[in-house]
Amino acid sequence: MKVLPKKVQLTELFYDLVFVFAISKVTGLIHHVENAREFLEYFGLFAIVMIVFLNTWMVQTVYTNRYGKNSLRDIIFFMLDMAILLFMSNTFTGEITMWFRPFVFATGLLSLTLFLEYFLTYRTAKDSVTKEVTQKFMYILGFRTVMLLLSILFSLKVGLILAVLGILGSWILPLFFTRTMRKSPINFPHLLERLTLITIITFGETIVDIAPYFTLKTICLPSLLIFGVVCLLFMTYITQFDHYIDEKRTGETGVLLIYLHYFILFGLSLITVALSFISETHFDDHVAVLCLYGGLMLFYIGILIAARYNQGKLHLSPQLVGLFGVTTILGAICSYLTGTFFWVTLITFAVTLLNATSYIAYLLHKLR
């Protein structure tokens, strides 16, 4: 059965802007650390907070995909969530003891609003499938809300454990409900467009972060190489999601498409941070390289997993997948051994250039 694309509403795009701001603030947790030791200490915190924002965006997007009508009620919930997100994005400054409870309380409120959206849909649903699917999401969001609000009543140590359990639980639990979600498939074109747009906006944030390399005092060959790396990653992304993928798929839960974008968005955030670290003399070059190539590996893993959705004649060959792995690992080793700003940027540019051109060439070959 042919699925008509669901129009992406302007309110959804407006909502995305807050999330990109939130993600840029999250990268600030590791963006301005003074040394490698601090980076490693804050990385776990960065990962958890990233999951909070990405998971919230994904849950809201899935709700809008299945049940959103751009009604007055939907718009009110969008605006309320945006206000909460703006507050959350500005809480984590200073020591964690200062911002943990306000951040977790706001996250709990955000989970509660998402719970209410599913609850209201459950109450008004006339078919059993909608009731079953919304009920499962109510369980997930109810668990997350209770664990988060409960965590602020305890000491930081205990509260942090409860909060992490609530966050990771809501992140993982949808995997156990895929059989239920197959009864109410997502609108694949709409979900694909939403995920593509949030990724492109995230690329925009990366451009903003590398802008300091393009001033009268800082512009040099590595500046151009860094810009080239970002452009080549963007070309790789749009080759996969604008040309390879079968956007007319039906009967999909969207779970894999959503989870592979965690790799892509998380990877982009690490790349963004690393591209600023590699030029700073006070920071350990080796940690910056590991951060950069860790981000690249996550990004490429997401891209290659997405091949599962490719058009029939565009399934990736093992040789192409192997090429991505070999070039990225060799680039990481060479960059780690050299460690200098110039050589790291040059090697990384070469790695992303080879991967992007190979991906595009494979597409052109298959389409002949």
Side-chain angles (χ1 to χ4, degrees):
M1 184 177 68
K2 185 178 180 180
V3 177
L4 295 175
K6 183 175 184 176
K7 182 181 179 182
V8 174
Q9 301 294 336
L10 294 179
T11 48
E12 295 176 73
L13 302 181
F14 189 42
Y15 185 66
D16 287 353
L17 295 177
V18 177
F19 267 95
V20 174
F21 170 72
I23 291 173
S24 71
K25 297 288 284 187
V26 176
T27 58
L29 286 171
I30 55 175
H31 204 292
H32 301 295
V33 294
E34 294 297 324
N35 52 58
R37 183 179 176 181
E38 277 192 355
F39 178 85
L40 295 174
E41 288 176 354
Y42 277 92
F43 181 78
L45 196 59
F46 160 78
I48 293 296
V49 177
M50 273 289 289
I51 290 172
V52 169
F53 284 113
L54 292 178
N55 180 248
T56 299
W57 186 90
M58 299 296 183
V59 172
Q60 178 64 68
T61 297
V62 168
Y63 172 83
T64 304
N65 182 281
R66 282 196 173 99
Y67 312 115
K69 299 176 181 178
N70 204 38
S71 62
L72 179 61
R73 187 180 80 184
D74 289 343
I75 293 172
I76 290 172
F77 271 111
F78 268 129
M79 301 307 175
L80 178 60
D81 289 349
M82 288 173 69
I84 297 173
L85 282 162
L86 283 173
F87 174 76
M88 288 170 60
S89 302
N90 287 307
T91 52
F92 39 86
T93 54
E95 295 295 323
I96 188 173
T97 52
M98 298 172 59
W99 60 260
F100 173 75
R101 285 184 173 82
F103 177 78
V104 171
F105 178 71
T107 308
L109 287 181
L110 189 59
S111 298
L112 182 60
T113 64
L114 292 170
F115 174 87
L116 289 174
E117 287 189 83
Y118 277 99
F119 174 72
L120 292 173
T121 301
Y122 174 83
R123 287 288 303 274
T124 57
K126 301 187 184 302
D127 62 284
S128 59
V129 172
T130 299
K131 283 187 174 295
E132 186 177 0
V133 173
T134 52
Q135 189 178 60
K136 291 293 189 292
F137 276 96
M138 285 164 58
Y139 290 152
I140 294 170
L141 290 165
F143 170 75
R144 176 171 140 171
T145 302
V146 170
M147 293 295 284
L148 288 170
L149 295 181
L150 193 62
S151 69
I152 65 177
L153 303 177
F154 293 88
S155 65
L156 177 63
K157 185 176 180 180
V158 176
L160 189 58
I161 294 171
L162 292 175
V164 169
L165 287 175
I167 291 161
L168 294 181
S170 67
W171 184 40
I172 296 169
L173 282 173
L175 293 172
F176 296 94
F177 298 139
T178 52
R179 183 176 298 180
T180 300
M181 286 187 278
R182 284 194 185 96
K183 299 176 183 179
S184 177
I186 51 91
N187 185 296
F188 191 82
H190 175 271
L191 181 63
L192 178 63
E193 184 178 0
R194 294 287 286 115
L195 288 165
T196 303
L197 288 171
I198 193 70
T199 305
I200 290 172
I201 295 173
T202 305
F203 268 110
E205 182 61 32
T206 305
I207 293 293
V208 170
D209 276 26
I210 67 170
Y213 286 114
F214 288 84
T215 67
L216 289 174
K217 292 182 179 180
T218 60
I219 193 165
C220 55
L221 179 57
S223 303
L224 301 177
L225 294 173
I226 287 171
F227 181 71
V229 166
V230 177
C231 291
L232 290 165
L233 291 175
F234 178 73
M235 290 300 296
T236 305
Y237 181 84
I238 64 171
T239 297
Q240 170 58 47
F241 286 94
D242 199 37
H243 298 286
Y244 275 34
I245 207 162
D246 179 9
E247 62 181 38
K248 298 178 182 178
R249 300 179 71 94
T250 59
E252 294 285 347
T253 63
V255 171
L256 181 63
L257 186 64
I258 287 170
Y259 277 86
L260 68 87
H261 269 85
Y262 279 102
F263 288 100
I264 292 171
L265 294 170
F266 207 105
L268 278 176
S269 294
L270 288 178
I271 291 166
T272 301
V273 172
L275 289 177
S276 65
F277 279 159
I278 56 176
S279 65
E280 296 180 6
T281 56
H282 72 275
F283 196 83
D284 189 327
D285 294 332
H286 293 140
V287 176
V289 168
L290 292 175
C291 180
L292 174 61
Y293 277 87
L296 284 174
M297 288 178 186
L298 288 173
F299 179 84
Y300 287 138
I301 286 171
I303 294 291
L304 295 174
I305 292 174
R308 182 251 188 238
Y309 292 110
N310 284 0
Q311 302 168 42
K313 60 183 178 181
L314 292 175
H315 289 302
L316 303 185
S317 67
Q319 293 82 2
L320 184 63
V321 176
L323 176 67
F324 269 71
V326 170
T327 55
T328 307
I329 291 171
L330 286 177
I333 294 171
C334 293
S335 296
Y336 190 86
L337 292 175
T338 58
T340 62
F341 179 47
F342 173 77
W343 283 109
V344 171
T345 55
L346 181 60
I347 292 167
T348 306
F349 177 79
V351 168
T352 53
L353 177 63
L354 181 58
N355 287 342
T357 52
S358 300
Y359 216 56
I360 295 169
Y362 183 82
L363 169 68
L364 296 175
H365 171 70
K366 287 291 186 178
L367 291 178
R368 285 176 184 171

